[in-house]
């Protein structure tokens, strides 16, 4: 939503300390002919551009089979979803020049600034022009200059998203590195660490400490990326990823069999991701003036590793209602496991006539702070002629899937103490079971043994 924040994050990630990967086989061809976009890549990778147009990264939507109350056969994702982390989508918040603010200034803004095209061929577009518009190097170059990646108006008055198609960038072709991924994924939701709230750094994640990158777990084939089961992340390429299907971790990964017994009903993330971060709440009905004269929705923010997750049963299907998006599951459902979630609450406008959440075009409130003007603009775009806007809150459960730790993982006492992190009553256990589950009899001897081993060390 905030293009300056996006570009700033990109510059920080992409321009400092660049180390080029192994030499690309096409180096001699590129040096001789220069880089002309996907057509250059297609010299060695024919048909790749056409296939890429079918991926979630291009379409920003897919068919979804695990979420309640969706229209059968319709594709959902950033292209058209409405929920209160963003309260808009690519359709109503298409990249545009926003109205003048009180100081007579304007800027470009839009939810689709992260789309790997040129905006003329935009989200979900197809055909030869769309293929030629793909920004291959934004993901595949370790020397991509993000100062080129900014919108401008062409001679026809169209808003075009610039790209770095320099020979220098093309000669630094490599598999996507963490910095390439995080340019978009780290700055989603209105700024750095707002949406997901994780910083993929050696200090915060054991995988990063092992010098692993995003693509080591999210191993793509034909640009189809494996993704998890976040209740709020609907669009997917049809390939699902879990700790045990990654090829790294077995079903029983621990030397301690007491821990292994837990894996049948407790997800790896529950013990190994004890903290989260990012925005905890936003209010799209109240926009605050920034130092630059533009407005942003008021937001409560947390740093990475600052927030404690909420734990719930999850069977990888999603309860989707106007005021709630979150996990379905229960203790009695054997397909459910206990997972950690970041709770986010967003305030926006609902339609009193239908009960549905209304979308918002950010251009107007960014310039003037007038949120209802944004609702009116979005309604016009979507063809909604009659509505009655009233404010309301929506609760969203975000999966905690990163910030993995081994050294600070939860132990028996963290969960089975009387004041432990798990609310056994809320998870469906009886009073007698809670008393048993929170008794030191369960864990005292084992924890004492581990304590002595640590003391000896």
């Amino acid at each position: 939503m905030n293009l300056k924040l996006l570009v700033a994050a990109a510059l920080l990630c992409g321009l400092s300390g660049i180390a080029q990967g192994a030499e690309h086989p096409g180096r001699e061809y590129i040096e001789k002919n220069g880089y002309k976009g996907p057509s250059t890549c297609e010299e060695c990778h024919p048909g790749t551009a056409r296939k890429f147009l079918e991926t979630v990264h291009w379409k920003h939507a897919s068919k979804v089979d695990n979420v309640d109350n969706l229209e059968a056969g319709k594709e959902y994702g950033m292209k058209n979803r409405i929920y209160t982390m963003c309260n808009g989508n690519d359709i109503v918040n298409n990249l545009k020049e926003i109205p003048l603010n009180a100081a007579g200034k304007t800027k470009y803004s839009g939810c689709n600034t992260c789309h790997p095209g040129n905006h003329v061929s935009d989200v979900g577009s197809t055909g030869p022009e769309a293929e030629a518009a793909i920004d291959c190097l934004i993901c595949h170059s370790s020397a991509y200059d993000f100062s080129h990646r900014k919108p401008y108006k062409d001679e026809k008055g169209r808003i075009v998203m610039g790209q770095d198609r320099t020979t220098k960038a093309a000669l630094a072709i490599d598999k996507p590195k963490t910095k390439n991924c995080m340019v978009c994924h780290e700055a989603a939701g209105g700024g750095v660490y707002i949406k997901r709230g994780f910083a993929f750094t050696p200090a915060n994640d054991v995988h990063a400490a092992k010098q692993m990158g995003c693509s080591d777990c999210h191993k793509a084939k034909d640009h189809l990326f494996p993704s998890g089961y976040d209740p709020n992340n609907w669009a997917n390429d049809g390939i699902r990823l879990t700790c045990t299907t990654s090829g790294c971790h077995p079903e029983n990964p621990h030397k301690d069999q007491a821990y292994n017994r837990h894996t049948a009903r407790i997800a790896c993330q529950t013990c190994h991701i004890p903290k989260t971060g990012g925005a905890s709440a936003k209010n799209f009905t109240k926009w605050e003036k920034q130092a630059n004269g533009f407005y942003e929705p008021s937001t409560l923010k947390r740093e990475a590793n600052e927030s404690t997750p909420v734990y719930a049963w999850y069977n990888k299907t999603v309860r989707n209602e106007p005021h709630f998006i979150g996990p379905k599951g229960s203790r009695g459902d054997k397909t459910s496991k206990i997972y950690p979630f970041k709770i986010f609450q967003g305030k926006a406008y609902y339609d009193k006539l239908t009960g549905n959440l209304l979308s918002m075009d950010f251009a107007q409130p960014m310039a003037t702070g007038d949120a209802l003007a944004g609702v009116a603009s979005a309604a016009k775009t979507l063809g909604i002629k009659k509505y009655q806007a009233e404010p309301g809150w929506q609760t969203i459960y975000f999966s905690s899937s990163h910030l993995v730790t081994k050294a600070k993982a939860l132990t028996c006492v963290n969960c089975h103490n009387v004041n432990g992190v798990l609310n056994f009553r809320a998870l469906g256990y009886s009073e007698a079971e809670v008393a048993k589950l929170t008794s030191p009899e369960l864990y005292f001897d084992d924890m004492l043994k581990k304590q002595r081993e640590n003391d000896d060390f």
Side-chain angles (χ1 to χ4, degrees):
M1 183 172 66
N2 190 319
L3 187 58
K4 285 188 176 179
L5 278 175
L6 171 64
V7 172
L11 288 168
L12 287 172
C13 293
L15 298 180
S16 59
I18 291 171
Q20 295 189 11
E23 185 173 300
H24 189 263
R27 183 180 186 88
E28 185 176 341
Y29 178 89
I30 295 171
E31 286 179 330
K32 179 180 179 180
N33 300 282
Y35 181 73
K36 299 177 177 63
S39 62
T40 299
C41 303
E42 293 263 325
E43 290 290 330
C44 294
H45 306 283
T48 300
R50 178 181 55 79
K51 290 181 180 178
F52 183 73
L53 300 185
E54 294 300 317
T55 68
V56 163
H57 276 89
W58 186 262
K59 297 196 301 178
H60 285 189
S62 75
K63 291 183 179 179
V64 182
D65 59 8
N66 67 324
V67 179
D68 289 348
N69 300 319
L70 298 185
E71 187 178 327
K74 185 176 179 180
E75 294 191 337
Y76 291 86
M78 291 186 295
K79 178 180 178 179
N80 56 2
R81 274 192 64 195
I82 303 170
Y83 64 112
T84 56
M85 170 54 75
C86 299
N87 198 217
N89 52 47
D90 294 333
I91 294 174
V92 299
N93 290 300
N94 191 277
L95 178 61
K96 63 175 75 74
E97 192 173 25
I98 72 170
L100 297 176
N101 65 12
K105 296 181 179 180
T106 185
K107 65 178 179 176
Y108 293 101
S109 183
C111 290
N112 50 341
T113 54
C114 275
H115 186 255
N118 64 0
H119 187 253
V120 176
S121 291
D122 207 7
V123 175
S125 57
T126 59
E129 288 188 6
E131 293 175 26
I134 297 170
D135 192 355
C136 305
L137 299 184
I138 194 173
C139 295
H140 287 286
S141 173
S142 59
Y144 193 95
D145 183 350
F146 286 90
S147 67
H148 292 282
R149 178 80 184 175
K150 58 185 178 183
Y152 64 91
K153 283 186 179 180
D154 67 8
E155 67 282 356
K156 296 180 180 179
R158 300 176 301 181
I159 296 176
V160 181
M161 177 59 78
Q163 300 179 10
D164 182 3
R165 294 192 170 189
T166 61
T167 299
K168 178 183 177 181
L171 291 175
I173 293 173
D174 203 348
K175 291 182 179 180
K177 304 299 184 184
T178 297
K179 62 178 175 286
N180 298 101
C181 302
M182 297 303 268
V183 162
C184 286
H185 290 284
E186 193 172 66
V192 178
Y193 306 152
I194 292 294
K195 188 175 184 179
R196 298 292 171 190
F198 70 87
F200 192 74
T201 64
N204 287 305
D205 194 288
V206 67
H207 299 99
K210 292 179 178 291
Q211 297 186 325
M212 294 174 64
C214 305
S215 60
D216 288 313
C217 291
H218 299 273
K219 297 177 181 177
K221 183 178 181 180
D222 293 331
H223 291 97
L224 300 175
F225 278 81
S227 57
Y229 290 89
D230 189 334
N232 184 63
N233 189 29
W234 297 355
N236 65 87
D237 278 320
I239 309 169
R240 296 297 197 172
L241 176 70
T242 67
C243 298
T244 54
T245 62
S246 66
C248 296
H249 304 290
E251 291 285 349
N252 296 307
H254 305 100
K255 294 180 181 178
D256 190 329
Q257 292 307 309
Y259 285 159
N260 283 335
R261 287 195 296 272
H262 284 70
T263 60
R265 299 308 303 273
I266 297 178
C268 306
Q269 296 94 315
T270 299
C271 297
H272 287 281
I273 307 179
K275 294 291 183 180
T276 183
S280 60
K282 276 188 185 184
N283 186 351
F284 283 94
T285 72
K286 181 182 179 182
W287 289 62
E288 296 181 334
K289 194 172 185 179
Q290 308 297 299
N292 61 6
F294 296 103
Y295 293 78
E296 292 286 336
S298 49
T299 304
L300 296 178
K301 305 172 186 177
R302 297 289 184 90
E303 297 298 323
N305 284 319
E306 187 177 358
S307 303
T308 301
V310 168
Y311 300 91
W313 292 105
Y314 186 32
N315 63 12
K316 299 175 184 175
T317 62
V318 180
R319 176 182 154 200
N320 171 42
E321 299 167 0
H323 291 275
F324 181 89
I325 299 172
K328 294 174 65 177
S330 67
R331 182 189 173 193
D333 176 2
K334 298 303 181 182
T335 65
S336 297
K337 289 186 179 184
I338 297 172
Y339 280 82
F341 297 93
K342 165 193 164 180
I343 302 297
F344 170 82
Q345 292 179 300
K347 188 177 185 180
Y349 288 101
Y350 286 80
D351 183 358
K352 191 174 182 179
L353 302 178
T354 64
N356 294 328
L357 180 65
L358 291 166
S359 190
M360 185 180 293
D361 179 350
F362 300 143
Q364 290 79 7
M366 271 189 174
T368 66
D370 188 344
L372 285 172
V375 172
S377 178
K380 183 178 180 181
T381 298
L382 298 173
I384 301 173
K385 296 181 179 180
K386 187 177 181 181
Y387 66 90
Q388 292 182 19
E390 63 175 358
W393 288 93
Q394 182 186 59
T395 298
I396 303 174
Y397 279 57
F398 284 83
S399 284
S400 291
S401 301
H402 302 86
L403 298 177
V404 178
T405 179
K406 181 178 180 180
K408 297 181 180 179
L410 300 181
T411 63
C412 306
V413 69
N414 295 121
C415 294
H416 290 285
N417 203 322
V418 173
N419 63 340
V421 299
L422 294 184
N423 185 337
F424 288 109
R425 292 178 182 82
L427 290 168
Y429 292 86
S430 67
E431 290 299 320
E433 289 173 317
V434 172
K436 183 178 179 180
L437 287 167
T438 55
S439 168
E441 191 69 28
L442 277 179
Y443 58 83
F444 189 87
D445 289 342
D446 283 343
M447 294 304 297
L448 185 62
K449 181 181 177 181
K450 288 182 172 62
Q451 180 177 293
R452 287 170 175 165
E453 290 173 350
N454 291 334
D455 288 345
D456 290 342
F457 180 76

